[in-house]
Every structure is written in structure tokens, then in C-alpha cells.
Amino acid sequence: MLTHKTDQITHHICTRNCYDSCAIIARSRDGQITDLYGDAQNPITAGRLCSKRQHILSSIYDPRRILHPMIQHGRGSGRWSRISWARAIDLIAHKILEIKASYGSTLPLCLNKYSGNLGLLRRAVEGMFNSLGATTQTRGTPCFSAGLDAQYFDFGANITSNIRDVTQAKLILLWGVNPAWTAVHCMPYFYEARRRGATIVVLDPVFTETARKADYYIQLRPGSDASFALALLHLLEKRNMLHDMPAHITGGSSFLRDLSAFDADELLRTAGQSLDAVQKLAALIEENHPMHVWCGFGMQRHRYGGFAVRLIDALSMLTGNIGCRGGGVNYAHQGMLLFSDAIMQRRSDTRFIDINQFADSLAALHDPPVRFLWIACRNPLGQDVSLQKLLSTWTQLDFVVTADKFLTQSAALSDLFLPVTTEFEELDAYAGYFHHWVGLNTPAIPPRGEAKSDLEIARLLTRRLNELAPHTSTFPHQKEAADFLDETFTPLVYERLSIQHWRELEEGSRAYDTGIPWADHQFATDDGKFHCCSLADMGSILFPTQEYPFYFLTPHAQQNINSQHQMPETRLPEHPIVFLHPKAAAAKGLSENSAAILWNDTGELHVTVGLTETVPQDTILCPQGESRFSALNWLNAGQTADMGEVRTGTPGIALHDVLVNIRAK
Ligand SMILES: Nc1nc2c(c(=O)[nH]1)N[C@H]1C(S)=C(S)[C@@H](COP(=O)(O)OP(=O)(O)OC[C@H]3O[C@@H](n4cnc5c(=O)[nH]c(N)nc54)[C@H](O)[C@@H]3O)O[C@H]1N2
Ligand SMILES: Nc1nc2c(c(=O)[nH]1)N[C@H]1C(S)=C(S)[C@@H](COP(=O)(O)OP(=O)(O)OC[C@H]3O[C@@H](n4cnc5c(=O)[nH]c(N)nc54)[C@H](O)[C@@H]3O)O[C@H]1N2
Ligand code: SF4
Ligand SMILES: [Mo]
């Protein structure tokens, strides 16, 4: 690549909520970023960024990006005017002090923050809130709670193997994950495994882009993973392929005993599978060792998703595929826990509410109610469930502040807008949740316009609050980003990364080694053994009743990260396009481009029909985030998943467990 002598090169890490956490290099000239590309030194990024690269670059300079604070005259009126930072911060500070005085408490102040940017210093927002006293804050995650608990119960910790080791696998099951879209940098490792003789199987209700690239595809009915896994285990047991190892497994013998009591035909019927499919997979497992499974977040966004993950763990353990190179069940790790979270100023009296049940939680809080809402790295009015309820609670709030880059649905219904910097305009660090690379963001360019990082906003507000009412906030506002990084990087992190100082990451990202998870079969559970789940009382799990004829699946889209990276509005369709199987559409009198209404007890959605043979006849598909205005979650009442509380404080959300019907408009 040609480099001009005045070009400046800086190293970055993509802080979006994405499996790949790419190492990015920015090229800038005269204070302007001219190019972004993947760092070739990082073996996972391997010199390439995903198809969102252009969006990442253009969103820095997107004319829709807001570069100065704004106030709205009448929430939702669209009558915004520009104000200075001093005025914006002053308004917020007065509002906080006024609420604190009238309630004698800081609990009416609420923070809703999640993963628009997962940078470690973004946690200054929690720190600033906690420094005020006991406040209300969301906790939990829509991403992966149920599966995290599932693996924690089985193994005692959340660990992933090095993705490089997958090239040693002979059989790869991609189970409810669509890496060809959501983790594109992992795909080359699967191709390499195949070159070395591995067989790749995808299990998904949708014939996804990943399925297209696989050797075998098994079309599961949504939510039927547990039934299918049990049918498979049942068959493997009959073939003497399951091995209890009492020295390393707790609950193995009762698991095997209870397993034999199931009716395999009934399990297969629920999963919508023929005996052939399960026999084929059983034979592949028998003939190919090691087997690597990647359980995706998609498959556990169901009411019994955690349980399904536990069955897959048991499948791998009982077939001898745990603890060997190329084997294992990858899901997600909690490497972030290696870092200090001192910046968050954690306290024991925070009033936590479930991020996945935000609308219900807000409505239920009375003593005292929430009056003030701060939104950062989050677009609840675009991405949350129970949107009707959220909108009605929202209107009762006194004051809403949104810190964002764009005027999202949530920002549009706020009183104040605070413009934030991108990861190319500030100092921060990040460690992802799937692979083991850690990276730094150093400013490639100065903040654009008047944008400020969430950390700078926390510092500014703290200073103003303390000017108005001394000792209101204990947030260490005198510290700079670099000081916070000094305390965030612990001696343990330095040791694992083999570096002396985080500044060494200015030269590029670094990885820590995890070895082969559970190679010694010493697990992190209380008795040191793998725990097989109990198979008692499974009726409702395996054979659920269905009130509406279609599952409405809204998995993650290729060109967006959730509600980020939107197409220009002029190119957005008027209504979301939902995809049905042609036979299902015909049975409803619908054809391609029909205007239709999707409905259930929770709501109605105007849609346009698309036809596809990639989905089962009882499934309607609409990748989420494709259209900023589609509000797919209008139909989602917020069914919780079966697990998640232990690792993330609240249960997971069964986002894909939405049942609907459809009619012509
Ligand atoms: N391009 C892109 N990448 C992303 C994101 C994005 O929005 N866009 N978002 C990021 C975030 S926040 C997350 S959480 C991850 C999520 O990434 P993934 O873990 O890949 O999750 P999803 O895309 O929601 O769903 C994956 C697959 O699960 C399937 N699925 C749904 N229900 C079931 C079921 O009952 N059983 C089985 N076996 N499969 C089922 C869906 O059809 C889908 O193909 O991706 C991250 N990466
Ligand atoms: N139907 C359906 N709904 C879903 C899902 C699904 O699969 N189907 N997936 C769920 C999942 S897994 C997730 S993770 C959520 C994601 O939903 P959200 O948590 O809302 O995440 P994003 O849409 O990625 O980003 C939210 C906002 O953060 C802003 N942002 C980016 N960087 C910064 C920053 O540095 N500071 C601040 N203050 N703001 C910033 C972005 O501009 C964006 O507007 O959606 C959930 N909703
Ligand atoms: S969105 Fe994901 S794949 Fe794309 S650059 Fe960022 S981390 Fe990499
Ligand atoms: Mo997510």
C-alpha cells in the first residue's frame, strides 16, 4: 500500500459488540482519516475488515452524525436547538440536584447502558453514576446470559479455546451461530480445518450463509435444540458411544439412565427431524474425533436455551471431546474480568433492574420512581422488547439524556443529546468475549466537532455537580484517560499479555494464551468435575405448546451491528421485509411483495412479504437492525430464558421465542 510521507498510522481495536474484535489500522493525513484496514499482524483479523468497514469509516464523517450538544423543545417534537457543553452540563447537574433534593435520594436517577461501544473506559459512566449515591441501573445482557450460566454450571467457568485449534478438528458443529455474517474472521479457520479433512455441519432453522458453506445442514425447528440433542444422545447411547467417567463427571450415571427412558421418535417429531438426519450425525460423531462445537448466542435466545447448551456440553463430554486440541464447546469467555473495574466505583446499594425487562422494571418502580434517564451506548427504543410499554413509561420521565453519535429512536425522544467520540478520536482499550486478543485505541484524529468521550462527559459533569453542591460526586474527575488505563490494566493482565505497560499496545494488539481448556479434566466446579444436567421433569421443555402458527426469528444482520451502521434513509423500505416459505405464504394467500400484517397478543406490525426456501414452513425470518424504523420488537413481550442470573445478574432474553400469525393487509 502506498504511504505518503505525512501519513500517520495508528492502531485500534473495534469496540463494537462483535465476536471478532478486529485489530484495525487507521491511516490519517492532515487530521483526517483516509483509510481503515485490518491489521495483518493479528492472525484473526488477518489484514481484512468485514463488510461493515466502509460504514465504520463513513460513520466518522457521516453528515447525520451530531457533533454538538442539543436540547429538544418538547420531547419528540423534533424542535432541537444547539447549546454549549457548559449549558448542557449545567442543565443536567441542576436536574440531578433537584431530583436528589425533592426525593431525598439518588435512586430516581437511572442509567441504561450497554454495548454500542464496549471500551473499558466507557465504564466511567457507571463510575460517575455510582459516585452520586445509590442509583438505579440496568444489568444483564441480551446477548448471551443463558448460555454463560449453562457453561458455568457444567464446567465451572466460561472459557473458550484458541480459534486456531479448530483447524485440528475432524468434525465441526456450528450450532445456532451464523459466523459467515456475525463472526466472519472465524470462517477461514473452518475452511482450513476442512482442507485438513474436517466435516462441517450447521444446525439452524435458517439455511444461512454459513449453512451454504457447510458440508451438511440440519434444519432444526426453532427452539427444538434440546429435543434434537436428546434424540442424538439417545442414539449414541444405543451405539455405546457415550462414556461416563465418574472420576471426572458428576451426574453422568443418572443422565444416562434417564436418557434411555425417552421416546426417541417423539423427540424427533418435535424437532421436525427424520431418523436419517440424526443417524447421519451420530455416524459422523462416531467416525470423527475430535469434534468441535460452536454454540451460538442465537440458539440460546429461547425459553429453554440454557438447557439446550447444557445438553450440547454433555454431548461433547460424554463422547470424549472435551479437553483435547481441536475439541471443546466454544461459546464465550469472561476475559474482561481480568481487568480492574475500579473506574466503575461499584457499590452494594445500587438498585439494579433487568436490562432485558427494562419497560416492566421501570413501570414497577415506585419507591421512589425513576425520574431521570441517562442512555449511553444503547438504543432501547430500537432494540428492546415490550416497546409499547416502554414508550408509555418513557413519557412519564422528567428528563432523558442520550449520549450517542446519531439521533437514534431513543435520542429522538430525549430532552438532551450529548455527542460522543468514535474509537478513532480518543484513548481506550478493549478485550473481546470470544478470542483472546486485547487492543488499544489511541486518537488518530482529534474529536470531531464538539464530540467528547463518555469519560470526558463523566468528568465534566462531576466537576459541575461539585461546584454547585460540594461533595455530590466522588468520581475522580482529575484523572485523565491514561490514569484510568493505568489502574484498569492489572499486573495479572500484564503477565498474561507479556507486556510491561499498556502503551506497548500502541504497536498493535496482543493475545493471552489459554492452552487447551480442561486438558487435565480438572474442572472449575465445586467438586472439580464436569456436571451433567438433570433430565428430570422435561415434558414442557421438550414438547412446548404453540399458541401461534409461526416462529418469528429476528437474528443479527450482515451489514449492521444491531442498530448501528444504517443505510441512508432514502434507501430504507417503508416496512420491514419478512421472509416466509413459499408454501406457507401460499397457504395464507400471500405472494412476493404482498403487504401484510404480522400479529400476536403483544402487537401488530405492517410488513412486506418476501419469499425464501431457506426457512421451515413454520418460521418467518427478518434479520434485526436492517431497518432502523422497523421496531420488530413491537411483537416481543419479553419472554425470559431459563438461565443467566448467576453470571450476569438477570436471566437471558428469549428473543427468538416469538410466535406470530400473518394475514394479508
Ligand atoms: N454482522 C453482525 N455481526 C454481529 C452482530 C450484528 O448485529 N451484525 N451482533 C453482534 C452481537 S451483539 C451478537 S449477540 C452476536 C450474535 O451472533 P450469533 O451468535 O450468530 O446470533 P444470531 O445472529 O442472533 O443467531 C444465530 C443463528 O441462530 C439461529 N437460531 C435462532 N433460533 C434458533 C434455534 O432455536 N436453534 C438453533 N439451532 N438456531 C437458532 C438463527 O437462525 C441464526 O442463524 O453477533 C455479533 N456480531
Ligand atoms: N429483535 C431482536 N432484537 C434484538 C436482538 C435480536 O437478535 N433480535 N439482539 C439483541 C442484542 S444481542 C443486543 S446486543 C442489543 C443491542 O442493542 P443496543 O445495546 O442498543 O446496541 P447498538 O444498537 O449496537 O448500539 C446502541 C447505540 O450505541 C451508540 N454508540 C456507539 N458508540 C458509542 C459510544 O462510544 N458512546 C455512546 N454513548 N454511545 C455509543 C450507537 O451509535 C448506537 O446508537 O439488541 C438486542 N435486540
Ligand atoms: S464489526 Fe466485527 S468483524 Fe467488523 S471490523 Fe468490527 S470487530 Fe471486525
Ligand atoms: Mo448482542
Side-chain angles (χ1 to χ4, degrees):
M1 195 168 294
L2 275 178
T3 306
H4 190 267
K5 65 175 187 279
T6 59
D7 277 2
Q8 183 203 343
I9 297 294
T10 43
H11 286 266
H12 301 269
I13 180 164
C14 185
T15 42
R16 280 152 199 80
N17 184 346
C18 177
Y19 287 104
D20 290 358
S21 311
C22 287
I24 304 182
I25 295 182
R27 177 194 305 280
S28 341
R29 188 183 296 174
D30 305 328
Q32 186 93 356
I33 297 179
T34 53
D35 193 13
L36 296 179
Y37 51 94
D39 187 350
Q41 303 302 318
N42 179 305
I44 298 178
T45 310
R48 289 180 315 135
L49 297 180
C50 68
S51 58
K52 295 172 284 297
R53 175 192 153 278
Q54 191 50 41
H55 288 282
I56 296 174
L57 178 58
S58 63
S59 69
I60 307 170
Y61 297 105
D62 191 321
R64 293 172 294 178
R65 181 173 166 195
I66 295 170
L67 296 171
H68 42 74
M70 298 200 303
I71 187 166
Q72 184 164 215
H73 308 283
R75 197 180 300 159
S77 67
R79 284 184 287 113
W80 289 94
S81 54
R82 182 174 173 168
I83 53 170
S84 67
W85 270 106
R87 176 92 184 98
I89 293 291
D90 195 55
L91 268 171
I92 299 170
H94 275 103
K95 204 73 208 172
I96 288 174
L97 293 173
E98 188 187 306
I99 287 173
K100 186 176 169 186
S102 66
Y103 285 88
S105 160
T106 42
L107 284 173
L109 308 173
C110 177
L111 172 64
N112 187 337
K113 172 167 173 281
Y114 189 52
S115 71
N117 179 318
L118 285 164
L120 292 165
L121 299 189
R122 289 291 179 290
R123 301 181 295 177
V125 187
E126 285 91 333
M128 183 268 290
F129 255 72
N130 285 333
S131 76
L132 300 173
T135 57
T136 306
Q137 291 179 31
T138 51
R139 80 167 161 199
T141 133
C143 298
F144 58 176
S145 317
L148 275 185
D149 267 16
Q151 291 220 312
Y152 180 70
F153 296 151
D154 294 339
F155 298 101
N158 298 105
I159 299 178
T160 55
S161 62
N162 189 327
I163 182 79
R164 185 194 56 211
D165 288 347
V166 84
T167 56
Q168 309 293 313
K170 287 288 169 265
L171 175 64
I172 296 168
L173 307 189
L174 301 176
W175 200 318
V177 66
N178 185 15
W181 279 8
T182 58
V184 70
H185 293 85
C186 296
M187 294 302 284
Y189 292 92
F190 301 126
Y191 301 145
E192 174 61 19
R194 181 155 48 199
R195 273 194 290 278
R196 297 178 184 214
T199 302
I200 302 175
V201 183
V202 165
L203 301 100
D204 198 301
V206 182
F207 185 69
T208 57
E209 194 56 36
T210 309
R212 253 180 251 285
K213 307 252 160 58
D215 301 298
Y216 290 102
Y217 167 60
I218 299 177
Q219 185 160 58
L220 293 178
R221 292 188 59 219
S224 72
D225 302 76
S227 308
F228 181 79
L230 273 180
L232 178 63
L233 281 156
H234 198 273
L235 192 67
L236 288 166
E237 169 65 353
K238 282 216 285 204
R239 293 183 178 209
N240 279 329
M241 280 290 297
L242 300 186
H243 308 291
D244 186 15
M245 293 175 274
H248 299 301
I249 301 179
T250 294
S253 59
S254 50
F255 184 91
L256 293 177
R257 185 194 61 227
D258 294 346
L259 181 64
S260 55
F262 282 101
D263 176 347
D265 291 338
E266 203 178 353
L267 291 170
L268 285 174
R269 252 195 318 279
T270 321
Q273 295 304 317
S274 64
L275 187 60
D276 273 6
V278 75
Q279 273 177 337
K280 173 83 204 168
L281 187 53
L284 282 170
I285 294 174
E286 198 165 359
E287 289 155 17
N288 296 285
H289 178 85
M291 169 179 79
H292 176 89
V293 188
W294 182 354
C295 264
F297 301 159
M299 65 148 297
Q300 53 88 62
R301 294 197 187 109
H302 282 275
R303 70 188 76 189
Y304 301 116
F307 185 72
V309 174
R310 293 201 68 181
L311 286 175
I312 293 167
D313 290 345
L315 167 74
S316 287
M317 186 66 195
L318 294 168
T319 52
N321 282 297
I322 297 294
C324 49
R325 193 177 293 282
V329 185
N330 267 2
Y331 180 69
H333 66 69
Q334 292 206 301
M336 288 270 272
L337 300 180
L338 292 173
F339 294 84
S340 162
D341 64 5
I343 191 170
M344 290 175 76
Q345 315 245 305
R346 281 189 193 275
R347 51 191 301 145
S348 56
D349 53 0
T350 304
R351 181 167 69 169
F352 282 115
I353 55 176
D354 185 346
I355 195 163
N356 294 321
Q357 306 293 336
F358 184 53
D360 280 323
S361 309
L362 267 192
L365 292 178
H366 295 299
D367 192 18
V370 165
R371 307 299 328 151
F372 171 105
L373 176 60
W374 183 293
I375 298 168
C377 305
R378 188 95 181 105
N379 179 17
L381 286 174
Q383 297 297 113
D384 265 14
V385 299
S386 304
L387 285 171
Q388 297 86 328
K389 191 175 277 175
L390 185 54
L391 271 172
S392 72
T393 318
W394 197 281
T395 53
Q396 285 154 37
L397 296 167
D398 271 3
F399 203 69
V400 183
V401 180
T402 294
D404 206 302
K405 294 178 282 193
F406 295 97
L407 203 62
T408 61
Q409 291 103 321
S410 311
L413 285 189
S414 303
D415 302 293
L416 258 187
F417 182 92
L418 305 179
V420 295
T421 42
T422 66
E423 67 267 47
F424 303 99
E425 298 161 43
E426 60 185 18
L427 183 62
D428 201 348
Y430 179 49
Y433 49 75
F434 191 64
H435 60 64
H436 309 101
W437 289 81
V438 176
L440 194 68
N441 276 309
T442 44
I445 53 171
R448 287 210 57 224
E450 294 180 12
K452 291 188 189 298
S453 70
D454 293 88
L455 168 64
E456 286 307 315
I457 297 172
R459 295 176 70 202
L460 267 182
L461 180 57
T462 304
R463 269 189 229 119
R464 184 64 188 137
L465 278 166
N466 288 344
E467 272 165 24
L468 292 170
H471 313 297
T472 300
S473 166
T474 54
F475 186 71
H477 61 86
Q478 67 289 354
K479 287 190 185 174
E480 305 281 343
D483 304 321
F484 283 109
L485 281 183
D486 284 345
E487 67 183 25
T488 301
F489 277 77
T490 58
L492 179 63
V493 174
Y494 286 141
E495 191 192 310
R496 304 282 300 269
L497 296 179
S498 303
I499 56 172
Q500 311 289 321
H501 196 270
W502 53 264
R503 288 242 179 246
E504 291 174 50
L505 299 174
E506 285 175 359
E507 306 302 317
S509 51
R510 294 289 280 255
Y512 54 90
D513 186 18
T514 48
I516 300 170
W518 321 119
D520 53 5
H521 278 189
Q522 289 301 304
F523 296 95
T525 49
D526 45 11
D527 62 1
K529 299 185 192 182
F530 176 91
H531 284 204
C532 273
C533 55
S534 160
L535 295 181
D537 307 325
M538 303 259 309
S540 59
I541 298 184
L542 299 173
F543 312 112
T545 50
Q546 193 170 325
E547 319 88 61
Y548 284 91
F550 295 98
Y551 274 95
F552 184 39
L553 292 189
T554 56
H556 292 232
Q558 183 180 27
Q559 296 298 339
N560 316 350
I561 288 286
N562 301 306
S563 66
Q564 304 193 52
H565 310 305
Q566 296 294 320
M567 286 191 283
E569 272 138 49
T570 47
R571 282 167 49 203
L572 285 175
E574 190 187 352
H575 297 302
I577 302 172
V578 302
F579 294 93
L580 281 82
H581 193 280
K583 286 188 184 153
K588 290 280 176 187
L590 299 166
S591 49
E592 185 95 44
N593 294 323
S594 293
I597 290 175
L598 214 57
W599 93 94
N600 60 18
D601 287 349
T602 310
E604 280 195 354
L605 189 65
H606 292 252
V607 296
T608 304
V609 170
L611 299 181
T612 178
E613 293 192 354
T614 64
V615 298
Q617 292 188 42
D618 66 353
T619 298
I620 298 179
L621 171 73
C622 183
Q624 63 112 11
E626 281 285 12
S627 161
R628 180 165 282 227
F629 306 104
S630 63
L632 304 179
N633 290 338
W634 207 250
L635 299 173
N636 192 327
Q639 169 69 47
T640 53
D642 51 351
M643 298 175 198
E645 266 182 284
V646 176
R647 292 311 262 172
T648 69
T650 65
I653 175 95
L655 281 165
H656 295 320
D657 224 329
V658 178
L659 289 159
V660 297
N661 207 338
I662 189 165
R663 62 170 185 268
K665 190 151 82 181

